[in-house]
Amino acid sequence: MDSFWVALNAVMPFLLYIAFGYGVQHTKLVDEEFLNRLNTMVFKCFFPILMFYNVYKTKAGFQLDTKLVLYAMLSLLIVVLLLILIVPRLVKENPVRGVVIQAIYRSNFVLFGVALTVSVYGEDQASLAAILVSIVVPAYNIIAVIVLEMFRGRKPKPKQLIKNIVTNPLILGALCGLAFYLLGIHLPDSLEKTVAQFSNLTTPMALFTLGGTLHFSDMARNAKVLTLGLLTKLILIPAVILGIAAAIGFRGPELFQLLVMYGAPVATASYAMAQNMGGDGKLAGQFVVISTVASVVTIFFWIFLLRNIQLI
């Protein structure tokens, strides 16, 4: 039962944020137009602060297993390339293609990585998760920009694609955090506390706006895409990635990082990014919501299974 409570406690706050947004919108205190503008603000103002702070607060001098980083990045690139080849054969609409690809490869690692690691292994392993998050999440964002640009319905020009990558708010935030980290620049305590508080606001606000713009009637229309996408995201890909990782010797906290990287629900930021980059924003939001609910079961399943075969 410990595995179940770990999964439930990790996911429940996200469900409550979504439910609160859904409830507020139905009281008519806010309308969908306002929530869409709020979503744009979260994407352009709050997510960059979150990205900055996650990189900035990385502990100096921590040594990460190079083998783990290489496996994580190489597996991510292979998964994305396979999705770019396979998804367009199954999905006809460009705005949907980009959203499906992003939903399958991009997990909520930035929010689940440290939280789940601390729940299972304690504070001693928090740095391992934080360092890997600071490497993987910027890669998620760069890939998302490329994928969403590819499926806007026009062939992206290399110069324009590079411009869109370097001017993406999330990537700018991560690069700024990396600069502060590498140069050893430390914010004054009062400013660092303020940045941390803005960072903590990001996820509740993003999920609040998602809940407020959620339409359950649209889910039936997208049922096939959602089902295939989430089975691939939460079951198939983690099974393959973890199976190969275990075969080449990953165990314990390192294997657990790969579980969270591939087994956590769809990233909250994928909704805001799709909404602001020509993707099917409603479908992206549905992927976030349903994967968050389903992950209570799937995260429990993976932790229970890996513990019973003594891999984590």
Side-chain angles (χ1 to χ4, degrees):
M1 285 299 293
D2 285 349
S3 301
F4 173 76
W5 290 116
V6 167
L8 183 64
N9 288 332
V11 169
M12 185 55 68
F14 297 82
L15 298 178
L16 293 175
Y17 298 145
I18 293 167
F20 184 57
Y22 184 79
V24 168
Q25 198 275 339
H26 280 72
T27 65
K28 307 301 181 183
L29 287 172
V30 296
D31 58 22
E32 193 159 336
E33 183 182 352
F34 168 81
L35 290 168
N36 285 329
R37 291 201 306 272
L38 181 60
N39 183 52
T40 300
M41 186 193 72
V42 171
F43 174 69
K44 293 184 176 179
C45 300
F46 283 85
F47 270 115
I49 296 174
L50 174 67
M51 292 302 303
F52 167 84
Y53 188 66
N54 277 323
V55 178
Y56 167 80
K57 70 178 182 179
T58 301
K59 291 184 179 179
F62 181 79
Q63 297 295 316
L64 184 64
D65 185 352
T66 305
K67 182 181 176 183
L68 176 62
V69 175
L70 289 175
Y71 183 79
M73 297 306 295
L74 184 60
S75 62
L76 176 61
L77 292 175
I78 291 172
V79 166
V80 172
L81 288 173
L82 287 173
L83 291 172
I84 289 172
L85 291 173
I86 295 170
V87 169
R89 296 176 181 272
L90 304 175
V91 178
K92 302 304 179 185
E93 302 87 357
N94 270 328
V96 176
R97 288 170 170 170
V99 166
V100 171
I101 292 170
Q102 185 183 206
I104 292 174
Y105 84 78
R106 188 175 187 181
S107 74
N108 221 333
F109 195 32
V110 68
L111 300 173
F112 279 71
V114 175
L116 282 175
T117 300
V118 170
S119 294
V120 175
Y121 289 101
E123 294 284 349
D124 291 344
Q125 294 297 331
S127 293
L128 174 65
I131 294 286
L132 193 59
V133 164
S134 70
I135 295 169
V136 170
V137 172
Y140 279 166
N141 291 315
I142 292 170
I143 293 168
V145 174
I146 294 171
V147 168
L148 291 171
E149 286 291 336
M150 283 178 63
F151 296 106
R152 271 187 187 246
R154 60 180 186 271
K155 187 176 180 180
K157 297 177 181 178
K159 187 180 293 186
Q160 184 64 36
L161 184 58
I162 293 170
K163 179 184 176 183
N164 289 341
I165 290 172
V166 299
T167 58
N168 180 272
L170 283 76
I171 294 170
L172 286 174
L175 290 175
C176 189
L178 182 62
F180 273 61
Y181 174 75
L182 294 176
L183 296 173
I185 300 173
H186 297 285
L187 297 173
D189 289 345
S190 58
L191 183 55
E192 182 173 336
K193 184 177 180 181
T194 303
V195 170
Q197 289 171 335
F198 276 121
S199 175
N200 291 336
L201 276 173
T202 303
T203 297
M205 288 186 66
L207 291 173
F208 171 83
T209 59
L210 170 56
T213 56
L214 190 62
H215 298 283
F216 287 101
S217 58
D218 293 334
M219 290 187 181
R221 179 171 55 86
N222 295 323
K224 183 177 179 181
V225 171
L226 288 165
T227 301
L228 290 175
L230 290 175
L231 285 174
T232 303
K233 194 261 183 307
L234 297 174
I235 301 295
L236 177 59
I237 290 180
V240 173
I241 297 295
L242 293 173
I244 296 172
I248 62 180
F250 286 108
R251 296 289 187 276
E254 286 77 18
L255 185 66
F256 188 76
Q257 297 311 307
L258 296 170
L259 164 60
V260 182
M261 178 179 166
Y262 284 100
V266 177
T268 307
S270 65
Y271 164 67
M273 189 170 279
Q275 190 89 333
N276 286 274
M277 291 188 63
D280 187 331
K282 289 183 178 180
L283 177 62
Q286 291 163 14
F287 268 119
V288 174
V289 173
I290 299 176
S291 68
T292 301
V293 175
S295 67
V296 175
V297 176
T298 56
I299 291 173
F300 160 70
F301 166 77
W302 288 118
I303 294 176
F304 180 81
L305 175 65
L306 294 175
R307 276 180 168 173
N308 274 270
I309 58 178
Q310 300 182 340
L311 291 178
I312 64 172

